Amino acid sequence: MDCAIGLDIGGSKIAAGLVFEPGKCGSVTIRPSAPSSESEMYERVRECIGEVIAKSDIQLERIAGIGAGSPGLIDREKGLALFSNNLPWRSFPLSEKLQEDFCMPVLLDNDVCMASYAEWYHLGGKKNETFVFMTVSTGIACSIIHNGAFFRGAGMAGEIGMNVEEEDGDGTFIYRTLEELASGSAISEKVKAFSGKLIEEKMELFDYLLAGEQAKETEKMIARLAKSVYSIICTIDPHRIVLGGGVINRNRRLAAEICRALDGYRSLRNEPISKRISVSALKDTAGLTGAGLMLLHSLKE
């Protein structure tokens, strides 16, 4: 088998493509998600995969299978998309439906795990280190690879976006999650308000936010993200942390500001905290690349 189909399902878009060793991808297709309808969401996934196959010149028998990444809680053994804040699926039999429609093996896992695998593999896939990939996108989450294997805990390790943050609401504390306060969804309305001006002036989003009236709120957002990265470092002391996801990929100023904030925190090592942090090398293709590679590598094993 020459390649696999990598599928990256998100709250705002679906991406699929052919994935070849050692991580190259082609025939990439992107479609918008349908987060309000279970059946329509799956239909868009199916159409996305069908379009990848249709526009590639590779024969079906040379495709090893489909690696699929979906957000939230996954039952990998049963192939179920159990729950996600950003998708309509509840115990949805994603693997079974894909196998029926495309007649090939399917490997299902969490979408952040798939992206993490791709970034880890791209950096050499070292099996004697602890590696963390953190995504800031429609949602916020991280994935941990320790000694060459995923650390999953009881099944939801890495859901850092669910961390509780406090907001002072006129003398009373309002408890909201990190994802509610600092994800792509949290800033989407702000983007809509001045997207025309950003395009006109060719400015990066966080340059605009930090220079304007919303600077104070933006600084709070950056501080919350930096604090979350710092909590990861204090808890598991990873050798590497890669920051990715749509918000990071399109706003490198944000990654730089997170690192600047981190270097103000205490460290027991005689080096800046930011030294172990980098930004995604694979950017928007990380999820589908990791999904395809995991399928190929699982078949070899």
Side-chain angles (χ1 to χ4, degrees):
M1 298 293 183
D2 293 339
C3 65
I5 293 173
L7 176 65
D8 183 21
I9 302 168
S12 58
K13 67 179 177 64
I14 304 156
L18 294 179
V19 180
F20 305 82
E21 285 277 17
K24 295 182 179 180
C25 59
S27 302
V28 175
T29 299
I30 298 174
R31 285 180 175 261
S33 297
S36 61
S37 168
E38 181 180 270
S39 58
E40 178 62 20
M41 184 69 199
Y42 177 72
E43 182 61 21
R44 293 194 185 183
V45 168
R46 192 182 66 80
E47 289 174 354
C48 195
I49 295 173
E51 189 173 332
V52 169
I53 295 171
K55 74 180 186 181
S56 70
D57 58 0
I58 196 164
Q59 296 176 340
L60 276 177
E61 57 267 26
R62 294 173 62 189
I63 301 176
I66 300 170
S70 186
L73 191 59
I74 301 295
D75 187 325
R76 292 175 294 118
E77 293 184 3
K78 295 181 180 179
L80 301 176
L82 294 174
F83 177 82
S84 168
N85 288 328
N86 304 310
L87 291 183
W89 292 336
R90 300 293 180 266
S91 298
F92 187 78
L94 183 58
S95 290
E96 180 182 331
K97 292 183 75 66
L98 290 174
Q99 287 168 356
E100 289 175 355
D101 285 337
F102 296 100
C103 301
M104 60 180 70
V106 176
L107 183 150
L108 176 64
D109 208 329
N110 173 269
D111 61 335
V112 184
C113 289
M114 295 300 201
S116 177
Y117 188 81
E119 296 285 351
W120 172 74
Y121 190 73
H122 177 78
L123 290 170
K126 294 182 180 179
K127 294 187 177 182
N128 61 343
E129 70 174 12
T130 302
F131 173 91
V132 171
F133 174 79
M134 178 173 170
T135 180
V136 183
S137 191
T138 305
I140 297 175
C142 71
S143 173
I144 306 157
I145 298 177
H146 177 66
N147 292 343
F150 286 106
F151 177 82
R152 301 180 186 271
M156 292 186 64
E159 291 292 341
I160 197 166
M162 302 305 293
N163 278 2
V164 174
E165 300 284 329
E166 290 184 0
E167 277 200 316
D168 189 356
D170 297 326
T172 62
F173 283 108
I174 303 170
Y175 294 92
R176 301 176 68 189
T177 66
L178 174 67
E179 191 167 287
E180 288 176 315
L181 294 168
S183 68
S185 300
I187 64 172
S188 61
E189 292 304 316
K190 296 179 183 179
V191 174
K192 288 179 185 177
F194 51 75
S195 57
K197 188 170 183 180
L198 281 172
I199 294 170
E200 180 183 337
E201 299 183 6
K202 297 182 180 179
M203 292 182 70
E204 185 181 285
L205 171 61
F206 277 82
D207 284 335
Y208 188 95
L209 288 172
L210 288 167
E213 296 177 358
Q214 303 182 72
K216 188 173 181 180
E217 288 302 311
T218 304
E219 288 168 358
K220 284 183 181 179
M221 181 185 297
I222 292 167
R224 288 182 173 116
L225 291 169
K227 185 179 73 172
S228 297
V229 176
Y230 184 64
S231 70
I232 293 170
I233 292 171
C234 291
T235 303
I236 62 174
D237 194 25
H239 299 84
R240 300 177 192 237
I241 298 178
V242 172
L243 302 178
V247 176
I248 295 289
N249 293 339
R250 290 165 181 75
N251 299 282
R252 293 305 170 104
R253 170 75 183 274
L254 174 57
E257 290 294 328
I258 291 171
C259 287
R260 184 183 62 79
L262 280 169
D263 284 338
Y265 287 124
R266 177 180 295 179
S267 173
L268 297 180
R269 299 182 186 277
N270 189 26
E271 63 181 26
I273 293 175
S274 61
K275 186 175 180 180
R276 69 179 82 179
I277 298 172
S278 61
V279 294
S280 169
L282 302 177
K283 299 183 181 179
D284 290 344
T285 63
L288 72 89
T289 300
L293 285 174
M294 280 183 65
L295 184 282
L296 291 171
H297 295 168
S298 70
L299 293 178
K300 284 183 180 179
E301 293 172 1

